[in-house]
């Protein structure tokens, strides 16, 4: 292999431990108790909301589920509502027809195999229709307080841009967070990173001038 190409493809190292501590300490100070911006009332409604949020905004999902979750908070209630009823509620969300089918199918499985309860293992969650690793990790973290890292486009970008958790794909970034972020920040790390990526470290024009960790970030194309 050409050594120049090999060097170019090599990932940069993650930020040193002391820098990671400083980075997340500032995020924690600015937002001590970060939570998902999706609206939910229990494990089932969170599972549904996260499943619906794929390729959709949290704001859009919250608008679509407001009336739905006033009527439906359990798998059997979703089955009673029926596919057409669910579709009518979520028709403003992208890919709503397939998502509606998935929600109905996972509701049926929860009723028949789990007594209407949401399972607490990643493997069991990922067997549900429309539930991938990211969705499972959000549920595990937000509901069951397991320090699972749900890597979306914001965290993937931020992990590489700041070198908090470099990786060529979402799985590598997830492992890099687990390997490099100090244990005291693991529970809330993905919430802080999602919010920071959504509102500050944005894709096209990061807001470096108001970023509280800008001096710790090695990103060369700062917009100050």
């Amino acid at each position: 292999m050409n050594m120049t190409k090999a060097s170019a493809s090599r990932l940069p190292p993650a930020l040193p431990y002391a820098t990671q501590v400083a980075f997340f300490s500032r995020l924690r100070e600015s937002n001590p108790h970060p939570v998902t911006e999706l609206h939910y009332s229990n494990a089932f409604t969170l599972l549904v909301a996260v499943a619906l949020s794929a390729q959709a905004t949290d704001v859009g999902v919250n608008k679509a589920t407001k009336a739905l979750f006033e009527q439906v908070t359990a798998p059997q209630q979703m089955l009673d509502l029926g596919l057409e009823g669910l579709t009518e509620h979520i028709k403003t969300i992208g890919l709503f027809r397939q998502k509606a089918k998935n929600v109905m199918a996972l509701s049926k499985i929860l009723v028949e195999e789990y007594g209407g309860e949401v399972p607490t293992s990643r493997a069991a969650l990922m067997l549900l229709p429309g539930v991938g690793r990211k969705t499972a990790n959000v549920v595990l973290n937000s509901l069951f307080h397991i320090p699972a890292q749900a890597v979306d486009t914001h965290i993937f970008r931020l992990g590489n841009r700041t070198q908090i958790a470099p990786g060529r794909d979402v799985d590598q970034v997830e492992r890099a967070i687990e390997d490099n972020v100090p244990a005291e920040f693991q529970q809330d790390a993905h919430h802080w990173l999602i919010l920071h990526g959504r509102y500050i470290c944005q894709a096209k024009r990061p807001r470096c001038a108001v970023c509280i960790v800008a001096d710790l970030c090695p990103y060369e194309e700062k917009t100050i």
Side-chain angles (χ1 to χ4, degrees):
M1 179 183 291
N2 183 288
M3 291 304 293
T4 302
K5 290 183 178 179
S7 298
S9 66
R10 189 177 299 125
L11 287 170
L15 292 181
Y17 179 85
T19 307
Q20 298 259 6
V21 170
F23 187 101
F24 282 100
S25 292
R26 293 184 193 178
L27 296 182
R28 180 173 61 188
E29 184 177 353
S30 68
N31 186 3
H33 305 292
V35 295
T36 178
E37 293 187 317
L38 290 170
H39 297 167
Y40 67 95
S41 61
N42 59 17
F44 177 68
T45 53
L46 177 62
L47 176 63
V48 171
V50 181
L52 294 177
S53 71
Q55 300 183 47
T57 66
D58 287 1
V59 171
V61 172
N62 289 338
K63 287 181 179 179
T65 58
K66 185 178 186 300
L68 172 66
F69 290 163
E70 290 174 356
Q71 181 178 355
V72 173
T73 59
Q76 186 59 58
Q77 292 175 334
M78 187 68 76
L79 295 178
D80 294 340
L81 177 65
L83 180 60
E84 290 186 8
L86 174 59
T87 301
E88 184 63 25
H89 277 287
I90 67 169
K91 62 185 180 182
T92 57
I93 299 175
L95 306 175
F96 69 93
R97 295 189 188 282
Q98 184 58 52
K99 290 177 180 178
K101 292 177 182 178
N102 288 338
V103 169
M104 297 307 296
L106 71 83
S107 297
K108 187 172 187 292
I109 292 171
L110 292 179
V111 168
E112 294 181 350
E113 299 183 19
Y114 296 98
E117 299 296 324
V118 174
T120 59
S121 83
R122 181 186 288 115
L125 286 166
M126 290 179 64
L127 289 175
L128 298 173
V131 177
R133 187 177 182 89
K134 180 173 75 72
T135 297
N137 282 350
V138 171
V139 173
L140 292 174
N141 184 290
S142 298
L143 257 298
F144 305 121
H145 307 295
I146 296 170
Q149 306 302 330
V151 178
D152 68 351
T153 56
H154 296 300
I155 293 183
F156 180 77
R157 176 180 69 255
L158 196 60
N160 283 286
R161 182 181 280 174
T162 65
Q163 292 176 216
I164 281 292
R168 292 186 181 86
D169 55 40
V170 294
D171 292 335
Q172 282 191 344
V173 170
E174 180 181 334
R175 290 193 296 272
I177 293 173
E178 293 172 347
D179 291 343
N180 295 290
V181 174
E184 66 178 297
F185 304 110
Q186 285 280 334
Q187 178 62 48
D188 294 319
H190 96 273
H191 289 301
W192 283 317
L193 293 175
I194 286 174
L195 294 172
H196 195 68
R198 183 173 291 165
Y199 298 111
I200 302 297
C201 197
Q202 296 166 336
K204 294 183 178 180
R205 188 170 176 79
R207 302 175 61 208
C208 302
V210 296
C211 176
I212 62 175
V213 291
D215 61 310
L216 304 174
C217 173
Y219 183 58
E220 294 181 355
E221 300 176 33
K222 288 188 171 68
T223 59
I224 295 175

